[in-house]
Amino acid sequence: MPTTLITTPTFARHSARPWQILEDAGAGPLRPYEDVALPTAELLEYAAGADALIVGMDPITAEVMDAAPRLKVIAKHGVGVDTIDVAAARARAIPVVCAPGSNSRAVAEYTFGLLLSATRSLTASHTAVAAGGWPKLFGPELHGRTLGIVGFGRIGRLLAGYAHAFGMELLAHDPYVAEADVRAHGAEPVALDALLARADAVSLHTPPDPSGTPLLDHARLAAMKPGAILVNAARGGLVDERALADLLGSGHLGAAALDAFSTEPLPADHPLRKAPRTLLTSHMAACTPEANQAMGAMVAEDVIRVLAGEEPHHQAR
């Protein structure tokens, strides 16, 4: 009977349906549910007996694939497959599947929450009040402000709708989306550098460069509008985090709200831990029961399709 190695601790956390899909097809988990991710050494060990992998942020390299001689499919319990060597999988005829759209609304809502909190200093006020203070912290209204959205896919478009409801002006940069589609969602299509120079707040919704080069390096962060807010609920590799901390410290940037980091969990000595006007959360934008159920079911169903010799519905390219 085929076995499925599940490495992500959030798989099927809020619904039994994804587990049932696997079990009904006789592809039960090789590793029972645990509340921690699987360490790399154990991943290599467990992979030897796996016909399928369902993974989270684990780096799935050629080494992992070669340690799994029975492997027939790799499923990302999420959307972005940048932590999986898709080219290596393709060379080994191993399909990589994911769950596009399953967490779009969850991430878009959370992103707007980050923007609101950073703009109005909600967490700073809570911390002060909980410690016995009673500050009156001022922050600008969003109405009439300009939001720049970098990456105009499902999440970026949902975010645009929320921003419109608050009366914000919208700029969008996405070289893979037609200008007419951007305009149809009420945003002005612009080049990245123009967006950074004009936006009062910038939100990132694009995959990182495979080379590891940050999209927003020191020069681009410094070119942002003075006092601007940066929101990143996508990937940590998009931002030069040390440069961001420096520009927050100098006062050039107004605030930053981040849910994704280049190293996770965030190291104790990370410069953003001590940077002012910063909101840091633990890569949890997609953590809603609704998204968790949809994500788990989508990848479980595609795993079963591949193990049955069928084409998956959501194969990464």
Side-chain angles (χ1 to χ4, degrees):
M1 298 295 286
T3 56
T4 304
L5 173 58
I6 299 169
T7 70
T8 171
T10 61
F11 179 77
R13 180 174 288 183
H14 289 279
S15 171
R17 183 166 172 248
W19 289 117
Q20 200 63 51
I21 291 169
L22 295 175
E23 290 169 1
D24 287 350
L30 176 66
R31 173 179 181 258
Y33 175 87
E34 294 182 22
D35 201 28
V36 293
L38 192 64
T40 302
E42 292 184 36
L43 172 60
L44 292 171
E45 178 184 348
Y46 274 104
D51 296 274
L53 294 179
I54 297 178
V55 303
M57 295 301 294
D58 317 74
I60 304 302
T61 62
E63 180 186 13
V64 174
M65 298 175 206
D66 290 340
R70 293 166 44 181
L71 188 60
K72 299 176 182 66
V73 58
I74 301 168
K76 172 61 183 283
H77 187 241
V79 179
V81 295
D82 48 287
T83 56
I84 300 171
D85 189 337
V86 177
R90 189 180 301 118
R92 291 159 176 78
I94 301 171
V96 176
V97 302
C98 58
S102 60
N103 62 13
S104 296
R105 189 168 300 280
V107 175
E109 289 182 359
Y110 192 90
T111 299
F112 203 79
L114 290 176
L115 175 60
L116 276 171
S117 185
T119 303
R120 297 300 302 273
S121 302
L122 301 188
T123 54
S125 178
H126 163 78
T127 300
V129 171
W134 197 253
K136 300 295 184 182
L137 304 178
F138 279 69
E141 297 176 7
L142 294 180
H143 185 276
R145 300 277 171 169
T146 299
L147 173 63
I149 302 174
V150 181
F152 211 63
R154 293 181 181 90
I155 297 171
R157 295 177 190 198
L158 284 167
L159 181 64
Y162 303 150
H164 266 307
F166 275 69
M168 299 189 78
E169 303 294 325
L170 294 178
L171 306 174
H173 170 73
D174 193 323
Y176 302 104
V177 177
E179 290 191 1
D181 289 343
V182 173
R183 295 187 189 280
H185 286 82
E188 177 187 347
V190 293
L192 177 58
D193 291 339
L195 181 150
L196 297 175
R198 293 172 54 187
D200 298 297
V202 174
S203 188
L204 305 179
H205 302 282
T206 186
D209 191 295
S211 70
T213 303
L215 178 68
L216 299 190
D217 56 13
H218 189 283
R220 278 191 165 140
L221 289 168
M224 288 176 65
K225 189 174 181 179
I229 294 169
L230 177 65
V231 180
N232 181 18
R235 286 289 187 269
L238 291 168
V239 180
D240 182 332
E241 293 165 351
R242 184 167 296 279
L244 175 60
D246 290 343
L247 290 164
L248 287 164
S250 72
H252 175 72
L253 293 179
L258 309 172
D259 185 54
F261 307 90
S262 56
T263 301
E264 297 179 359
L266 202 63
D269 61 350
H270 196 285
L272 285 172
R273 283 182 175 269
K274 295 183 178 180
R277 304 177 306 284
T278 312
L279 171 57
L280 312 175
T281 62
S282 54
H283 208 144
M284 53 184 274
C287 292
T288 66
E290 297 86 351
N292 186 255
Q293 175 175 321
M295 196 183 304
M298 286 174 71
V299 297
E301 287 167 354
D302 260 352
V303 162
I304 298 308
R305 288 188 187 99
V306 175
L307 293 179
E310 302 172 7
E311 287 294 313
H313 288 175
H314 305 289
Q315 185 165 354
R317 302 297 177 184

